[in-house]
Amino acid sequence: LVGFLLLGLKDPQELKALLYAASAWSALLELASAPGSNVEALAVLPLAQILQQLLWSTARMDFRDIASQKVLGEAAAILRALTSKRRLPEVLHQQAMEALRQALVAALPGLRSEQGPRALCEALLQEAPLKDVRVALQQCASDWRRDCGIS
């Protein structure tokens, strides 16, 4: 199942598949990180791979398509579920934040501005509303596109 859902995150040109995979990940991770659940189960997931593939695809999808906004919303929910300081034990939270930083570097090569990634990490650390996380994620993608000359 994990491999199947990771495959859905691979092609940013297939927005429907990306949206469905992101929605499935979002729902599963929301349940896994919910109060009273076994959050240690998150430790067996390929966290770095999920984050990198999610960030890579969201940065490269067509933002002119309305479905991209839905994907950004699901991606924001995934990021919050995987990095929630309130829901995760401290060790898992620290691992997730480090994996996020590494995934940002790997998924957005050539990004010169630290403003977007800093805003994204800050929004996640502050447990900001999903809307704010989504905006910070889109800023990362926009900064990367600008820095790389991609329209």
Side-chain angles (χ1 to χ4, degrees):
L1 182 60
V2 170
F4 179 75
L5 289 176
L6 277 171
L7 195 58
L9 298 177
K10 275 207 180 281
D11 188 355
Q13 301 308 311
E14 293 292 334
L15 273 178
K16 196 172 198 177
L18 182 57
L19 175 61
Y20 291 155
S23 296
W25 276 115
S26 176
L28 290 170
L29 294 170
E30 185 67 28
L31 286 173
S33 65
S37 67
N38 183 6
V39 294
E40 286 76 22
L42 293 174
V44 301
L45 291 174
L47 181 63
Q49 189 178 3
I50 294 167
L51 290 170
Q52 183 177 343
Q53 193 61 55
L54 178 69
L55 294 169
W56 188 91
S57 290
T58 54
R60 289 160 178 82
M61 67 184 172
D62 182 1
F63 283 103
R64 296 170 297 189
D65 190 312
I66 192 74
S68 69
Q69 295 306 307
K70 293 177 183 176
V71 172
L72 281 171
E74 296 296 348
I78 291 168
L79 292 174
R80 193 168 69 180
L82 287 175
T83 62
S84 176
K85 193 173 192 173
R86 187 175 34 124
R87 293 180 173 192
L88 301 176
E90 184 62 28
V91 171
L92 280 178
H93 169 72
Q94 291 300 324
Q95 289 173 348
M97 290 305 294
E98 182 56 33
L100 174 62
R101 288 181 192 97
Q102 291 175 7
L104 283 163
V105 170
L108 306 174
L111 178 66
R112 292 187 301 261
S113 171
E114 289 293 319
Q115 184 177 354
R118 192 176 308 116
L120 178 60
C121 289
E122 190 63 32
L124 291 167
L125 285 171
Q126 293 179 358
E127 306 273 343
L130 281 179
K131 178 182 177 254
D132 295 345
V133 176
R134 187 183 73 228
V135 167
L137 179 57
Q138 188 165 2
Q139 184 64 50
C140 288
S142 296
D143 290 352
W144 174 77
R145 289 175 177 216
R146 183 198 63 233
D147 290 350
C148 294
I150 300 170
S151 53

